Amino acid sequence: GSAMNGQASQLQEQLKPLGFASIQTANATSAAAQTLIVFSQSVTAATRSTIIDAVKQLYPNLSSQENTQAQYDVTITLGQTPP
């Protein structure tokens, strides 16, 4: 994670107006150097683009990938690089 208090809540508030209602936050077990977005196969290209654009507003240095075994539709791990 980012190791910075309140960052997940700030991103959550950024995503809610875009129609993402079921958002859960948690602390990562270790710090991440870069923000990473992991998508399940079920997430459409349009939704991926919307999420990436929203996250980039706060965390411009990010990467994304697809995981065919993903437990959630989208998992975002915030990196340590401050926005």
Side-chain angles (χ1 to χ4, degrees):
S2 68
M4 296 170 57
N5 290 334
Q7 295 301 303
S9 295
Q10 184 178 0
L11 180 58
Q12 183 177 14
E13 292 305 313
Q14 184 90 4
L15 294 172
K16 280 183 182 179
L18 300 175
F20 300 103
S22 180
I23 301 171
Q24 298 176 1
T25 61
N27 292 325
T29 56
S30 62
Q34 182 181 24
T35 296
L36 173 65
I37 305 173
V38 178
F39 297 100
S40 74
Q41 288 181 308
S42 66
V43 179
T44 66
T47 300
R48 291 177 193 215
S49 179
T50 298
I51 292 171
I52 290 170
D53 290 346
V55 175
K56 274 188 176 181
Q57 291 179 20
L58 295 172
Y59 297 89
N61 185 23
L62 66 81
S63 62
S64 65
Q65 64 188 41
E66 183 177 286
N67 182 345
T68 59
Q69 304 297 317
Q71 180 179 0
Y72 301 102
D73 290 336
V74 181
T75 302
I76 302 171
T77 303
L78 301 177
Q80 288 185 325
T81 306

